[in-house]
Amino acid sequence: MNEPLLRELVPAVIGVLVRRGADFAAAEDAVQEALIRALETWPDDPPRDAKAWLVAAAWRKFLDAARAETSRRGRELAVEVEPPTGPVPATDDTLWLYFLCAHPSLSPGSAVALTLRAVGGLTTRQIATAYLVPEATMAQRISRAKRRITGLPLDQPGDLTTMLRVLYLVFNEGYSGDIDLAAEAIRLTRQLAASTDEPEVSGLLALMLLHHARRASRTGPGGRLVPLAEQDRSRWDTGLIAEGVAILQTALARDRLGEYQTQAAIAALHADAPSTSETDWVQIVEWYDELLLLTASPVVRLNRAVAVGEADGPRAGLAALSELDPELPRHTAVRAYLLERAGDLEQAAALYTEASRAATNVPERDHLTREAARVRQLLHS
């Protein structure tokens, strides 16, 4: 062990750490820690480059100390700002925070994406799935939105349309797997409905309640996905359904139809039917036609094709489906379903398998795999 060499290297190593951003005292402490480590390890495993070894070891010690100090300060700050114990206020500022993050300087799409990420707690992948775009594309969109509002005062609320979009996407993400998100979206929408007489807010609240009423029947043991036709309707929450229908009827009476009221009307028809076969599919198709006048969403067209298949037969549904982009999510699964109803079991089984490979979540993948196996069994029975 060449201790004189170590002492000679100390000033140079401290200088390197200072140039990298460490203050002198912290750099000196880190180098002393590195020297102790060198005395412990070098006799058995001497380095090829003593200075490079000391710089690397000292820099790691400095970073460890800096992180520990940051964590300590964070804990102290958390204690300082922790609210006093006592009754919790009846209201909170979450809804207002949603409004502020949906900044008016952003496009509606960017505002929704940023708000979902910053306040709603959704991951970039979840948001990208909701928008039907690649995750990398959504990550860039969120980054641009952050840069755009950097330095701007967050004192101008976004518009109501953007807010409704955010709340609906948060609800949909919760409805697909996280009940807390769905419940939070309903809570915030109730607050919003109580503070405005806009019919679309009521329409969104009704839509959420009608969907949430079916929550308990949507999954089976082990998280197994249960399609609408197979759900136990006795498990539907009739109280939520009645509330949703009442809110919807009041909104529709205002004669200012919007997309959320229209979707709620479709959900109400499903909730009112004793079974899938007794559903008023003709009226559902008519509501989808209304919805297409309000939005050109490809998802709406896909759902309309299913409804047409129920109302006018599977061949009519396939004809409507043929007008859509085959790359649309769930397109293959819908085609498989309609082909099965039309009697083409071989192609239906193949498409169910293909759709299962493209599924974006495990319950959907497993459901489509079971459907493929079921149809193959029918083929060989």
Side-chain angles (χ1 to χ4, degrees), residues 15-35:
V16 172
L17 267 63
V18 170
R19 288 194 295 274
R20 289 185 177 183
D23 63 75
F24 186 84
E28 192 174 42
D29 289 343
V31 171
Q32 291 300 322
E33 292 284 341
L35 287 174

Side-chain angles (χ1 to χ4, degrees), residues 186-230:
I186 291 174
R187 184 184 71 85
L188 293 174
T189 306
R190 284 190 187 279
Q191 286 188 19
L192 189 59
S195 63
T196 179
D197 63 351
E198 171 57 48
E200 270 295 79
V201 178
S202 297
L204 178 57
L205 178 57
L207 176 61
M208 289 180 176
L209 294 174
L210 288 164
H211 279 313
H212 207 57
R214 304 201 301 260
R215 173 83 189 189
S217 64
R218 294 186 72 249
T219 54
R224 177 183 178 186
L225 182 66
V226 180
L228 178 62
E230 299 173 18

Side-chain angles (χ1 to χ4, degrees), residues 92 94-95 98-99 160 163-172 181-196 198-209 243 247 260:
D92 59 41
T94 307
L95 190 62
Y98 270 64
F99 266 114
L160 185 61
M163 270 296 300
L164 295 180
R165 178 67 174 159
V166 170
L167 289 169
Y168 189 35
L169 288 175
V170 170
F171 174 81
N172 279 338
L181 274 180
E184 174 69 357
I186 291 174
R187 184 184 71 85
L188 293 174
T189 306
R190 284 190 187 279
Q191 286 188 19
L192 189 59
S195 63
T196 179
E198 171 57 48
E200 270 295 79
V201 178
S202 297
L204 178 57
L205 178 57
L207 176 61
M208 289 180 176
L209 294 174
E243 182 186 3
I247 292 172
Y260 297 115

